[in-house]
Amino acid sequence: MALIRLMLTVALLALTSSALAAGIEIREFDDPVMEQRYRDLTASMRCPLCENQAIDDSDAPISGDMRERVYQLLKDGQSDIEIVNHMVQRFGEYILYNPRLENRTYLLWGLPIGLVLLGVIVVVMMVRARRNASAKALSAEERARLDALINRERSS
């Protein structure tokens, strides 16, 4: 019984120490607007190390450095655009979840719009083709065959 208690105590201490080792970053803000700006900025930037994870919820050391840099830039009074530009200059466009509209990103932004327009054009062409096909008049031979089928059904 004492051995089980000892093992539970050791396991509990191991879990507690690992949670403390991870560390919880506490940022002090005097202004709730600045705190919201910090949250928005860190949520809009991708960790360069992690796969598709924002820096605000990443445990990677580089994300911690990025959060610290955003915090310092906010404290220095820089605007959101200046902070984003600084981070992009330092880490590249990859960190932005929403890439900027530039010459090299036109295809990225325009391709979905182009595909939707192409789909609409294809659907319109298919509807017109079906409408024209169904509106075509029957030839004399087709009309005679249809009348024969109708008469056969009536006589049965």
Side-chain angles (χ1 to χ4, degrees):
M1 190 68 157
L3 182 62
I4 293 175
R5 280 190 181 158
L6 178 65
M7 289 175 63
L8 286 174
T9 305
V10 170
L12 184 61
L13 285 174
L15 289 174
T16 306
S17 65
S18 66
L20 292 175
I24 298 172
E25 294 179 14
I26 299 176
R27 305 276 187 226
E28 294 293 326
F29 291 98
D30 299 331
D31 184 12
V33 173
M34 189 175 288
E35 182 177 0
Q36 186 60 44
R37 284 179 56 205
Y38 173 80
R39 291 182 196 279
D40 292 342
L41 284 168
T42 56
S44 70
M45 292 182 204
R46 182 189 339 237
C47 172
L49 182 64
C50 308
E51 288 289 325
N52 214 13
Q53 188 175 14
I55 64 171
D56 67 345
D57 63 349
S58 173
D59 291 333
I62 193 165
S63 292
D65 293 343
M66 291 173 75
R67 287 189 299 267
E68 180 63 31
R69 189 68 184 147
V70 169
Y71 178 72
Q72 289 302 322
L73 292 171
L74 278 172
K75 286 291 190 185
D76 291 344
Q78 292 195 14
S79 70
D80 291 356
I81 294 172
E82 291 172 330
I83 294 170
V84 169
N85 288 339
H86 173 80
M87 299 301 276
V88 166
Q89 183 180 7
R90 187 166 180 195
F91 297 102
E93 288 280 332
Y94 173 78
I95 66 163
L96 297 178
Y97 274 116
N98 294 319
R100 298 173 176 167
L101 184 59
E102 297 174 344
N103 288 338
R104 59 190 171 134
T105 59
Y106 284 146
L107 183 62
L108 176 67
W109 286 103
L111 190 62
I113 296 168
L115 289 175
V116 167
L117 289 175
L118 181 65
V120 167
I121 290 170
V122 167
V123 167
V124 166
M125 289 174 61
M126 288 174 59
V127 167
R128 283 186 179 173
R130 285 186 180 180
R131 188 179 302 151
N132 290 340
S134 66
K136 198 159 91 175
L138 296 176
S139 67
E141 181 182 319
E142 292 171 331
R143 174 61 66 189
R145 195 166 143 214
L146 179 63
D147 289 338
L149 288 172
I150 292 173
N151 290 335
R152 185 171 40 165
E153 283 295 318
R154 286 184 186 164
S155 62
S156 312

